[in-house]
Structure formats: structure tokens, C-alpha cells
Amino acid sequence: MRDRRYAHPFRDLRAKLRQAASVCVLSGAGMSAESGIPTFRDAQTGLWANLDPMQLASEAGFRADPQRVWDWYQMRRDGVRQAEPNAGHVALARYAARHPGRLTILTQNVDDLHQRAAAQTGEGARIVALHGSILTDRWLDACPRGEDLMRRPCEPSRAEPGHPPRCPDCGNRLRPGVVWFGESLDYRDLTAAEEAASACDVMLVVGTSGAVWPAAGLAARARHAGAHVVILNTQVSEIDDEAHIVLTGSAATLLPRLLDPL
Ligand code: OAD
């Protein structure tokens, strides 16, 4: 705990979360770390500690070595499928189910653990997946059939198995449905996230380094719009200055403490 202005931070925050009309969570890889999914920038254990993001998470990297990148994503997909939501995901889902329509989760994570926790525990939150989904595919290039208004673009499910799978007609390759470096976020998702950040009473920023924009800017947006901003992280983050209070600890420990009924 680094902020001495709050003598009873958990009691005060729990009261704020009970009374809030609108709560936003901005989550990052630390949210899923206790489910066994590696983060990106943690020293030693983060994926980018030993791997080059430009080779594995950019369109140029994919075009340079599609098999390597495809196989790396397949390996990560297997890890996501085997993972389970942790106590932090569950606490959020339970809070949302108790307060339908109050919680919006803006996640940078490409796993589906927020969604699965909601399906298992209770719907009620709106979930915006800012960086897409690792469990979906899309075409690398625009489908040539889509240029003809009379024809529908090919479905990615038509692709023939391979590393990566290819369209049997034109050879177009599948790529994972995530946002890579140098790519724009989906406009509707970003707009929804900005609106939610601007309208919330409390924002919980959970397990993100705050190194990747525009997602990192959502904390400042919430703060400038008048929200109470709380960072939950095991380490310092690049956006700690945007927070009214920083809670040092893990997502699976802190979120139940903040959100579960006593
Ligand atoms: P990072 O790997 O950059 O940061 C993870 C953060 O989680 C760090 O600040 C850790 O201190 C913190 N952390 C680790 N374990 C934790 C735990 N158990 N509880 C709470 N906090 C914990 O991940 P992101 O900020 O999500 O992009 O990275 C942003 C984006 O960069 C990702 O979405 C990804 C990556 O390249 C795409 O996939 C497009």
C-alpha cells in the first residue's frame, strides 16, 4: 500500500464500489497471471523477456515467418483453453451479477477468462476485448471475393488445415484475431471503451503495465472525467500517477477483498 491518504483503503473503496452507479475495470495480462497465462513484460517470466514482439506480434513478423508465428499462437491458444478463471475473474463476475448493468470490463487480454467467469458465475458485465481474441481467426489479406458486391467473402472456417491454414481458392492465409503492434483497435470497441471510461464513478486498473496505448490512456481519461481511479498490481506501473490509490498485491487476492460481500 503506497498511499497514506487513506487510513482504511479497503473499507473506503468497498463503500465506493457499493455506491457507484458505474464501475469500469481496465485489465491487463496480470489479471490472468494466476490462471497460468504468462504476462508480457514481467522480468524473466514475461513473454517479451525472451521473444521479439515485432517478430511474433506484428503483420510484418507474420509475413516474414508465418509458420513460426502461427505455431506460437497455437501454443498460446492451447494454454488459454487449459486455463481456468481465477478468484479475481470470479469476484468481478459475481459483483456484476449482483449489480447488473453496473460493470464494464475493458480488457487488453486476448484470452476469454472474463467471459468464461461470466458464463460460469453470472452475466451482468459488459466486456470489451480491446485487443481481440486469440481464439478466433481472420484472413491475413482482404478476401478477393469481397471486392465483388454480388459475392460474399469466404468464411475463415473454409480454410484448409496448415501452418497457417489457407483458402483453397486463392491461397489467402489465416491469422489470429488479435490486434498486433502497428494496427488500430476496432473503432467501435475503442469508442465504447472511451465512453465507459468517461462515464464511470470508479475505475479499477488491474494487472497492466500501462505501456501500451491507447488502452493505457483510459485510466487518465477516467480520472479527468472525475472517476476514482485505483490501481491493483504486484509491481509499479507506468500509469501509477493517474491513480488516486495504488494497491500492491495480486488480482486474485485483492479483487475478492474489494468486491465480495463480507
Ligand atoms: P504486461 O505484461 O505489460 O504487464 C503485466 C502487468 O501485470 C505488470 O504491471 C505486472 O506487474 C502485473 N502483474 C503480474 N502478475 C500480476 C498479478 N498476479 N496480479 C496483478 N498484477 C500482476 O501486460 P499488459 O499491460 O496487459 O498486446 O500488456 C499490454 C499489451 O501488451 C497486451 O495486451 C499485449 C502486449 O503486447 C497484445 O496482445 C496486442
Side-chain angles (χ1 to χ4, degrees), residues 11 34 42 52 71 83 97 99 119 121-122 128 132 144 167 181 190 193 219 221 225 233 238 252-253:
R11 192 190 63 193
E34 289 153 287
D42 280 294
D52 180 354
D71 288 348
H99 307 288
T121 310
V128 182
C167 175
F181 287 106
L190 183 58
R221 177 179 282 268
N233 201 308
E238 295 188 18
T253 309

Side-chain angles (χ1 to χ4, degrees), residues 2 19 24 28 61 65 77 123 148 151 173 219 250:
R2 275 182 247 120
Q19 290 153 10
C24 256
D65 194 344
R77 281 175 180 181
E123 309 284 347
D148 181 343
R151 303 170 82 194
R173 289 170 291 204
S250 86

Side-chain angles (χ1 to χ4, degrees), residues 28-30 33-34 39-42 48 108-110 131 179 181 207-210 212 232-236 249-251:
E34 289 153 287
T39 63
F40 297 95
R41 292 176 187 78
D42 280 294
W48 301 153
Q108 297 167 83
N109 297 342
V110 295
H131 291 169
V179 178
F181 287 106
T208 179
S209 59
V212 173
L232 288 65
N233 201 308
T234 49
Q235 311 280 330
V236 293
S250 86

Side-chain angles (χ1 to χ4, degrees), residues 117-216:
Q120 290 163 12
T121 310
E123 309 284 347
R126 178 177 187 197
I127 302 173
V128 182
L130 291 164
H131 291 169
S133 164
I134 199 169
L135 299 172
T136 61
D137 298 319
R138 59 187 173 89
W139 295 118
L140 176 62
D141 296 304
C143 175
R145 284 168 56 118
E147 288 167 16
D148 181 343
L149 290 177
M150 303 303 287
R151 303 170 82 194
R152 289 156 63 108
C154 301
E155 288 295 327
S157 57
R158 288 193 64 223
E160 289 179 338
H163 302 260
R166 283 177 174 270
C167 175
D169 295 335
C170 70
N172 200 355
R173 289 170 291 204
L174 285 187
R175 55 158 284 178
V178 302
V179 178
W180 277 332
F181 287 106
E183 296 179 335
S184 299
L185 275 58
D186 180 275
Y187 175 77
R188 282 159 305 178
D189 288 343
L190 183 58
T191 304
E194 288 174 345
E195 286 173 2
S198 298
C200 66
D201 302 305
V202 180
M203 174 178 271
L204 304 177
V205 182
V206 187
T208 179
S209 59
V212 173
W213 291 69

